[in-house]
């Protein structure tokens, strides 16, 4: 929790955590915020590797569950190898022992930072508008109505 308090402030976090747990429970997510926060370069490389092997969505689901529900350290290569194994992604151990796709991840992170994004979640709508942070359903409804994606 220390990281969250430093990043967002205690008052905001003390409101945010119960809200996120409530919202998550509505869709079967059991948020837990006690896990280690570490460097995610290797998990991002693994996501790109999963993408290239048709398993990106499965890997995202697995890593999000590991991190947000199971408090697993997604910067640990053994944890990443286990995630890959669970979704049937072959050759992940060998891939993680290389630097493959690292330059692509770095280039994407640089591009995102140039857009002013420094955290997640962040949403870019039609390549123009940036919406940062978790948003209320009403906020999304208003934005989608304004842009004509849903009827008013």
């Amino acid at each position: 929790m220390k990281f969250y308090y430093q990043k967002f402030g205690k008052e905001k976090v003390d409101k945010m955590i119960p809200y996120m747990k409530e919202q998550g429970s509505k869709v079967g997510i059991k948020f837990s915020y006690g896990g280690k926060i570490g460097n995610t370069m290797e998990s991002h490389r693994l996501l790109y590797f999963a993408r290239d092997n048709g398993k990106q969505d499965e890997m995202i689901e697995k890593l999000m569950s590991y991190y947000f529900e199971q408090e697993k350290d997604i910067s640990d290569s053994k944890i990443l190898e286990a995630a890959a194994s669970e979704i049937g992604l072959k050759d992940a151990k060998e891939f993680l022992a290389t630097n493959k796709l690292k330059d692509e991840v770095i280039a994407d992170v640089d591009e995102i930072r140039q857009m002013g994004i420094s955290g997640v979640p962040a949403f870019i709508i039609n390549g123009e508008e940036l919406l940062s942070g978790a948003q209320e359903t009403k906020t999304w409804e208003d934005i989608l109505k304004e842009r004509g994606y849903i009827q008013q």
Side-chain angles (χ1 to χ4, degrees), residues 57-129:
D57 289 347
E58 294 159 275
M59 182 57 71
I60 288 171
E61 290 291 327
K62 182 59 63 180
L63 292 179
M64 294 295 105
S65 175
Y66 270 20
Y67 181 75
F68 285 111
E69 296 179 288
Q70 301 174 48
E71 297 185 3
K72 292 188 179 185
D73 179 2
I74 61 168
S75 65
D76 182 294
S77 63
K78 297 290 184 210
I79 299 293
L80 296 175
E81 290 167 20
S85 176
E86 286 184 34
I87 67 162
L89 180 61
K90 298 182 186 321
D91 302 321
K93 182 176 183 175
E94 293 78 10
F95 167 76
L96 289 167
T98 72
N99 281 321
K100 291 178 182 172
L101 300 174
K102 187 173 186 175
D103 289 342
E104 185 178 348
V105 172
I106 290 169
D108 286 350
V109 169
D110 287 345
E111 181 180 349
I112 287 167
R113 285 190 177 138
Q114 289 174 6
M115 297 170 76
I117 299 171
S118 61
V120 294
F123 306 91
I124 301 166
I125 303 166
N126 289 337
E128 301 168 359
E129 185 172 347

Side-chain angles (χ1 to χ4, degrees), residues 17-33:
I17 299 292
Y19 173 77
M20 293 301 294
K21 286 183 175 186
E22 178 187 339
Q23 297 305 307
S25 71
K26 293 176 183 178
V27 292
I29 299 170
K30 296 176 182 161
F31 281 111
S32 181
Y33 291 92

